[in-house]
Amino acid sequence: MIIAIDGPAGAGKSTIARRIAQHFGIAHLDTGSLYRAVALEALGMGDPADPATAERAAKALDLSMLEDRRLRDENVTAASSVVAAMPAVREALLDFQRNFAQRPGGAVLDGRDIGTVICPDADAKLFLTATAEARALRRTRELQGDAGGAIYQRVLADMKARDARDSVRRAAPLVPADDAIVIDTSTLDADAVFAAALAAIADTLAVTKR
Ligand code: DC
C-alpha cells in the first residue's frame, strides 16, 4: 500500500504521515528532508542557487544527512526551495523516492509531488492544506513557543515566498493530483487531521476494491 501526502509547508503533512505510517506499520519518508539535505550539502560546496553546484550536491547526497539538525535552519529552509526548483536535482532524487515507495508492505511518502510525479499510482492520495496565516502561526510556535509579532510576520513572509516558489516552478509544481482528497487543516488539531486522513484513506481503498 502506497500513501501519498502532499501540500504546502506547515500544513501538518509530516506529523500526519508519521502517524499514518505507524498506524499501518509501514515505512515513512519525509521527502522534504531530501531537498533540505541537498541544500545543506550545496551550501557547504558554495552557492546553492548555482544549478551545477546543486546538481553535484544532489548526486553526492549522503542519506545519513537526513538526520542532521541543521536541516531545519532558516538558510537551509530557504535554499531547499531554490534547489527543489531545479529539474536536475529532482531527477537525481527520483529513483531513491520511487524505490522507497516499493518497499514490501508499502510506504507513506510526504512532499509536494508525490501524488503527481513520484507515485502517480499511489493507493491513496491526500493533499493537506491550510491558510498561510494558520501555517505561519504553527511554525512560529514550533520556533519559539509563542506567536510573538515580529517572528510571526517574518515566518509568514518566508512561507508565502516559499509557497510561491514551490507553486509556480515548472518542475513538478505544488498542485493537488486530480484524484487527491483535499483536507483543510486550518482549524483542526493534529488528532482531528489524523482522523480525517484515516477516514479519507479508508474511503479511497473501499472505492478501489469495489
Ligand atoms: O516539506 P519541507 O518544508 O521540508 O520541504 C523543503 C522544500 O523542498 C520545500 O521548499 C519544497 C521542496 N520539496 C519539493 O519540492 N518536493 C517534495 N517532494 C518535497 C519538498
Side-chain angles (χ1 to χ4, degrees):
M1 177 167 64
I2 300 175
I3 300 176
I5 304 185
D6 291 304
K13 297 181 304 286
S14 292
T15 308
I16 291 311
R18 216 174 299 120
R19 283 181 69 170
I20 288 174
Q22 240 166 26
H23 178 84
F24 289 108
I26 56 182
H28 166 226
L29 178 65
D30 163 7
T31 62
S33 65
L34 299 174
Y35 294 92
R36 288 170 180 273
V38 171
L40 180 59
E41 180 83 21
L43 281 162
M45 289 174 165
D47 179 9
D50 170 47
T53 305
E55 183 176 357
R56 239 179 340 119
K59 288 185 171 157
L61 186 65
D62 169 4
L63 294 175
S64 68
M65 281 178 78
L66 299 186
E67 305 301 324
D68 196 308
R69 295 177 64 120
R70 290 172 298 169
L71 294 192
R72 303 285 140 193
D73 289 355
E74 255 179 73
N75 62 334
V76 176
T77 299
S80 67
S81 81
V82 173
V83 300
M86 298 173 184
V89 168
R90 306 198 71 85
E91 176 66 32
L93 301 178
L94 195 67
D95 283 351
F96 174 75
Q97 296 175 83
R98 290 209 172 130
N99 288 337
F100 191 99
Q102 293 306 325
R103 290 181 169 214
V108 181
L109 282 79
D110 75 84
R112 303 293 189 288
D113 63 339
I114 308 304
T116 50
V117 175
I118 306 295
C119 304
D121 298 326
D123 299 285
K125 298 180 188 178
L126 304 181
F127 190 89
L128 298 195
T129 187
T131 62
E133 288 74 14
R135 293 183 287 116
L137 201 57
R138 283 181 198 149
R139 216 14 83 80
T140 308
R141 289 194 175 122
E142 273 170 25
L143 288 175
Q144 60 149 201
D146 87 327
I151 291 191
Y152 168 78
Q153 290 304 336
R154 204 183 67 223
V155 170
L156 179 62
D158 287 353
M159 198 152 257
K160 286 184 172 169
R162 206 144 67 93
D163 282 355
R165 268 202 301 268
D166 294 344
S167 304
V168 304
R169 68 180 182 218
R170 293 179 61 166
L174 171 66
V175 283
D178 290 340
D179 50 352
I181 296 175
V182 178
I183 301 174
D184 188 329
T185 71
S186 303
T187 59
L188 304 178
D189 65 16
D191 286 342
V193 178
F194 181 57
L198 277 188
I201 292 167
D203 277 356
T204 313
L205 296 180
V207 170
T208 331
K209 266 194 212 138
R210 238 184 264 146

